[in-house]
Amino acid sequence: MWGAGTVLYTMLMGEPPFSESSISKLMVKVMNADYNRSSEQWHKLSKEAQELIQSLLCVDPTLRLTPSESLNSSWF
């Protein structure tokens, strides 16, 4: 579901959620789910889309949405 979150973020934002010049910096961003949530583009997304992305890009896999939970999201 993490992958679905990265694809959804990329589709809605027009850029990947994680981007860095070095692999080590990139890995730190991924491990901390450090993606841009302060841009103007992010704030243009509906609250439902933001919540779905945040629930899919949750670092703790036990808290991340399952496929069926995702499909029940109000964004869909």
Side-chain angles (χ1 to χ4, degrees):
M1 292 312 300
W2 179 273
T6 61
V7 169
L8 182 60
Y9 182 99
T10 303
M11 287 173 33
L12 296 177
M13 296 289 290
E15 62 186 29
F18 308 104
S19 168
E20 269 301 331
S21 57
S22 75
I23 294 294
S24 59
K25 288 180 182 179
L26 177 64
M27 292 308 298
V28 169
K29 280 191 165 186
V30 170
M31 290 177 4
N32 293 311
D34 181 14
Y35 55 94
N36 190 353
R37 289 170 275 206
S38 61
S39 72
E40 183 179 333
Q41 183 66 21
W42 176 259
H43 293 292
K44 288 181 181 179
L45 296 179
S46 68
K47 289 290 181 198
E48 294 83 3
Q50 291 176 6
E51 289 170 1
L52 179 57
I53 291 169
Q54 289 171 335
S55 297
L56 292 171
L57 294 181
C58 179
V59 174
D60 184 346
T62 63
L63 300 176
R64 197 175 302 142
L65 290 182
T66 65
S68 59
E69 290 170 333
S70 298
L71 291 174
N72 288 325
S73 163
S74 58
W75 184 73
F76 281 110

